[in-house]
Amino acid sequence: MTTESTPNIPLGVPTAARMYDEALGGKDHFEVDRAANAKLYQVIGEDRVRSTALENRRFLGRAVRYLSKECGIRQFLDVGSGLPTARNTHQIAKEADPHSRVVYVDIDPIVAVHGRALLADDSTRIVTADMRKPETILDNPRVNGFLDFGEPIAVLFVAVFHFVTPAEDPSRIVAAFRERQAPGSYVAISHLTTDGMSQKEQEGWHAGFAGATVPLVLRSEKEIHRIFDGYELVEPGLVRPCDWHPEDDGSPRTTSLFGGVGRLERTS
């Protein structure tokens, strides 16, 4: 049986989780992360980068609220969760049911250090693992001994697959989770896209992550849509995150991302 892995994150190298935290105005990042984001801000514009991060975060919140309140989901596996910030998955899910269970997974061990201090809860767990190796998550007793895969589970891949190369294959990763999910389960995905993004902006995103622990891979709408194979997209489908079940939640509007939620109607 596979136990929890601890990926090796080199010191002094920016990580996606900490860069995202900085873009959201958080405090859990280092100078290397701020320097990496400064490259993004210089080429793309600080307001646009921060708006993209916030739009993505608002999408996560609305997706979890929809899944918990409208679909009755009580189990969430938040893969590539990043550092804890305001309105985390478990906080939103517990508004529908205080007994909802959430497992956060991230490759950056610092996420676990901060998360375990802030999110200590009998119904919430944090696991350090690499989603590129799905078995390190799915066969981890801290995950499968806590979540019941015989019942519907929502797996969240929010702003993570643009850090997965074509060789590592996002569809392969999703399929591994889908095979374990019960009918009536869901997947939520958001992803940076080339559609509507200028060449200069694309180059800016790549430059910002050039020295990070993971490369950046931008994909077209069609490529992102294929990652949902095996699921039926719920309305309104794959759209700009600000247009997915919009609310008056302060979500900015950018052309940097696509997001959607899919339902597993039956096992493959």
Side-chain angles (χ1 to χ4, degrees), residues 207-226:
F209 285 93
T213 55
V214 288
L216 184 72
V217 181
L218 301 173
R219 290 183 170 90
S220 68
E221 179 182 3
K222 290 183 178 179
E223 290 173 314
I224 298 168
H225 196 283
R226 283 198 291 270

Side-chain angles (χ1 to χ4, degrees), residues 7-223:
N8 180 28
I9 303 295
L11 296 177
V13 177
T15 71
R18 298 195 307 264
M19 290 172 67
Y20 186 47
D21 176 74
E22 194 281 333
L24 286 171
K27 299 178 181 179
D28 298 317
H29 49 266
F30 303 140
E31 177 57 36
V32 290
D33 307 301
R34 294 190 289 273
N37 273 356
K39 296 179 182 178
L40 291 174
Y41 301 154
Q42 183 176 11
V43 178
I44 301 170
E46 183 171 351
D47 287 345
R48 184 170 179 81
V49 175
R50 292 190 186 277
S51 292
T52 298
L54 182 58
E55 181 183 27
N56 181 75
R57 189 70 186 179
R58 294 288 189 264
F59 166 74
L60 169 65
R62 294 197 305 277
V64 172
R65 187 155 47 250
Y66 169 83
L67 291 167
S68 58
K69 292 188 175 181
E70 302 297 328
C71 305
I73 297 297
R74 297 295 179 260
Q75 302 185 102
F76 293 84
L77 183 54
D78 192 342
V79 182
S81 58
L83 287 151
T85 185
R87 301 290 290 158
N88 296 287
T89 297
H90 74 287
Q91 293 169 315
I92 299 169
K94 286 177 181 294
E95 290 174 357
D97 186 337
H99 301 292
S100 294
R101 292 193 168 201
V102 177
V103 175
Y104 294 98
V105 181
D106 202 277
I107 193 172
D108 190 340
I110 290 179
V111 171
V113 172
H114 286 272
R116 286 172 184 148
L118 294 173
L119 307 176
D121 187 302
D122 289 342
S123 59
T124 305
R125 290 189 178 181
I126 298 179
V127 171
T128 303
D130 186 347
M131 69 177 179
R132 296 166 183 79
K133 302 174 182 178
E135 70 280 0
T136 65
I137 301 171
L138 293 165
D139 294 338
N140 190 313
R142 285 181 53 78
V143 177
N144 60 31
F146 185 67
L147 300 178
D148 181 0
F149 281 84
E151 297 293 330
I153 292 177
V155 182
L156 314 176
F157 295 104
V158 177
V160 293
F161 283 135
H162 42 245
F163 301 117
V164 176
T165 66
E168 292 164 337
D169 192 2
S171 294
R172 172 191 63 86
I173 295 169
V174 171
F177 286 86
R178 187 179 67 241
E179 289 170 2
R180 299 287 187 94
Q181 287 179 294
S185 293
Y186 291 83
V187 67
I189 299 170
S190 64
H191 197 302
L192 283 169
T193 182
T194 54
D195 288 43
M197 189 181 289
S198 69
Q199 186 63 37
K200 179 182 179 181
E201 188 175 355
Q202 292 181 42
E203 292 171 356
W205 282 107
H206 285 295
F209 285 93
T213 55
V214 288
L216 184 72
V217 181
L218 301 173
R219 290 183 170 90
S220 68
E221 179 182 3
K222 290 183 178 179
E223 290 173 314

